[in-house]
Every structure is written in C-alpha cells, then in structure tokens.
Amino acid sequence: MLYIRADGNTDIGMGHVMRCLSIAEAAADLGCSPVFITADNGCLSMIEEQGFRAIVLNTDYRDMLSEIPQLKKIVKQQKDMLLIDSYQADDAYFDAVKEFVQTACLEDMGVPHPVCLLINYNIYAPQLADNYKELEDVLLGIQYMPLRKAFQAPCEYQIKDKITDVMITTGGSDPYFAAAAFMDAILADTFLSKQKINWHIVSGPFNRFAEELKNRYQSCKNVCIHENVKDMRALLLQTDVVITAAGSTVYEVSSLGIPMIVFYFAENQRQGACALTELTQIVNAGCFAKNSQAVTDRAVKALHQCVAEKTYRERLYEQERQLVDGKGAQRIAKALMDRTI
C-alpha cells in the first residue's frame, strides 16, 4: 500500500499536493490506489477531484510530530510505503515514522533526511549528491520531475511571428501580490502598451488577493483573470510567453517549450531559477520578496526582448524542450512500488 502525506493551503500553496498527485496517477497506472493523508481539508477537494481518497487528520500542519499517534492507526503494515512531502517534516518526524512504515520523501534543499528513499527531482539536484551520500537510496535529477499527466502528452506548439498572448502565474497563492505588480508595470510601459497583446493572469486557489485582482482590472479589456483553471495545458498552449514563479509550473512550461521569464519568492525556489539560467537563456528576474521593483523591472525588460526578437523565443523553445522528458512520475512510482512488494 502507498500512502502520501502532503498538505496544501493558503500559506504553503499547492505545489506539494500537485506533484504528489502526479506520482499518485502514475502509481494508479501500475495498479496501486494511493491514499493521501493531510493535516486539514485545505486541499481535500483537489485530491478527491482526481479520484483519490484522502484521510484528514485535523491537526496543525506545522506540528507534524503531534500526528504520529494517528498515523500509527492508519498505516498498519511495515511493508507499506509512506511518501512524505512537507517542509515541516524534520528528522525527528522521519525517525518516528520509520519505526512503523517504510518512508520516502521529496526533498529540495540538500538535506539528507533519514528515509528509505529520497527524491530530489530538481534541475540542480545532481550538484547536491555529496549531501546524500550516506543515504540508502536516492533519485536525483530532472529525469524524476513528476509532471502532471496532461503535460506528458506530445505537444504541437509553434513560435508565432508576433506575440499576442502573455500569461502571468504566481502559483497556488500570491503572498506578495506579484501578479498586480507585474500587470501594473506592463500597462504603464509605453512600448508594451502599444502592442496588441492579451494579458492572462492565473489566480490560484489560495490567492488571498483574488477579488482585488478582479476589481483592479475589470475595466481593462485586454486583461483576463483565470480562476479555477481545470486545463492548464490548454491555457498555456494559447500563450506566447509565460511569466512564472519558479515552482513546478516551470517544468510544465518547459515540457511545452513556451518561452518563459521566471522569478521566485523563497530560497527553496532560488536554486531552480538560477540553474535554469545556467542551462538556458531564460531570464531569472530574481526574488520578488526581497526587491519587488527590481524584479518587476527585469521582467518587463525581458518581455521587451521576447516581443522584439522571434529568434530569441525560438532559442528558448529549443532549450526548454530538452529539459524534461515527461516520464519522471512513472520512474518515482515504480521505485516506490518496488519497495512495497
């Protein structure tokens, strides 16, 4: 049996749950029916909409040690596997859990947690190999990126002569109201305001500024706010450039080859954003939380280049398409399932 321990809410967004859902889908294709375990019901509907069962602990996601007694009642066989995806889980938690079940974790920061299987799918993961050398088993590198099933399908995306549609996406939440900062700067820019471009802002499920965002741009005919997006792939394929936070969306955009500009909010996203600029010509606009004005300025400047240079966008397309092969979720699912036999 495979259990998946992950949370999603306004504070931490939906990245953990999204990548775990990709792994769950791949496991289901192998004949397993994973069960999710969450602290609260913040992400319950998203999990159930994908056809998976979720057990809600009704605990504080920040105090994971307190949930151990409940976990022992749920996970009853030592040969079962518990995949843990949370920045709140520390070594004390992993040590407690491995006493009654096999453990695996998704890890981003180079911390060698005491688990049976550690997965770091990030583009920079191989650089952290020495950090994990004492662990029994690790899966490192972008070949393990668990893309959602929709992004594993073949893509027929073409770079157009002129940009007509640009997307701004800030992840499941937008803690610093970055979408408005980018949009305001774009609308105030003389060069960009003269272009016939439709601007698409994706408002995530935990965006606390959702209503303000709609009110702010309701009079702008070329600005569209997208909420409760069910088919992100289809929406992305309509766009010519994407301004995105450096989370899992970066890899989904890469799988399609859509030219992008990245920024980040926190340290756990910084390494990925920086690695992208080392391997491609994608512009990393920087940390929005530290200097929003500088990041906004760099993003607008990068947009100028995208609008003016089709050849630049063509280079980004070729570079991005080489990053991800779309089979990462299957590789992780197989590794997890092999341990439960």
Side-chain angles (χ1 to χ4, degrees), residues 26-183:
D29 289 341
L30 294 175
C32 171
S33 298
V35 174
F36 280 77
I37 302 173
T38 70
D40 53 48
N41 61 7
C43 56
L44 181 62
S45 61
M46 178 174 288
I47 293 169
E48 292 180 338
E49 283 175 5
Q50 297 302 312
F52 296 104
R53 179 185 169 213
I55 298 172
V56 178
L57 300 175
N58 292 310
T59 56
D60 185 345
Y61 78 93
R62 295 162 296 189
D63 182 13
M64 295 189 69
L65 270 176
S66 68
E67 71 188 39
I68 297 298
Q70 292 187 67
L71 280 181
K72 286 182 178 180
K73 295 178 181 179
I74 297 169
V75 184
K76 298 180 179 179
Q77 297 191 51
Q78 183 75 42
K79 68 177 182 179
D80 288 341
M81 175 63 74
L82 178 65
L83 173 62
I84 301 158
D85 186 4
S86 172
Y87 295 138
Q88 310 302 319
D90 57 15
D91 285 356
Y93 177 84
F94 288 111
D95 284 334
V97 172
K98 72 180 183 182
E99 292 297 318
F100 57 92
V101 67
Q102 296 187 90
T103 56
C105 75
L106 288 165
E107 206 283 315
D108 296 330
M109 302 298 292
V111 180
H113 293 303
V115 293
C116 300
L117 177 66
L118 182 144
I119 305 125
N120 186 335
Y121 62 76
N122 289 285
I123 196 170
Y124 55 84
Q127 301 169 19
L128 302 174
D130 285 347
N131 294 35
Y132 307 125
K133 61 185 178 182
E134 301 299 326
L135 297 183
E136 179 182 343
D137 200 1
V138 295
L139 304 177
L140 302 181
I142 201 167
Q143 67 267 36
Y144 296 104
M145 168 61 208
L147 284 177
R148 286 185 282 176
K149 186 172 288 188
F151 291 90
Q152 298 170 22
C155 169
E156 295 183 2
Y157 181 80
Q158 293 184 339
I159 300 296
K160 296 187 300 192
D161 290 336
K162 291 186 178 181
I163 288 177
T164 60
D165 294 86
V166 172
M167 176 188 291
I168 300 170
T169 175
T170 58
S173 61
D174 188 356
Y176 299 93
F177 208 13
F182 289 128
M183 195 69 259

Side-chain angles (χ1 to χ4, degrees), residues 198-212:
N198 298 309
W199 305 97
H200 303 267
I201 301 176
V202 176
S203 180
F206 295 126
N207 188 351
R208 67 189 69 182
F209 300 106
E211 288 305 312
E212 184 175 346

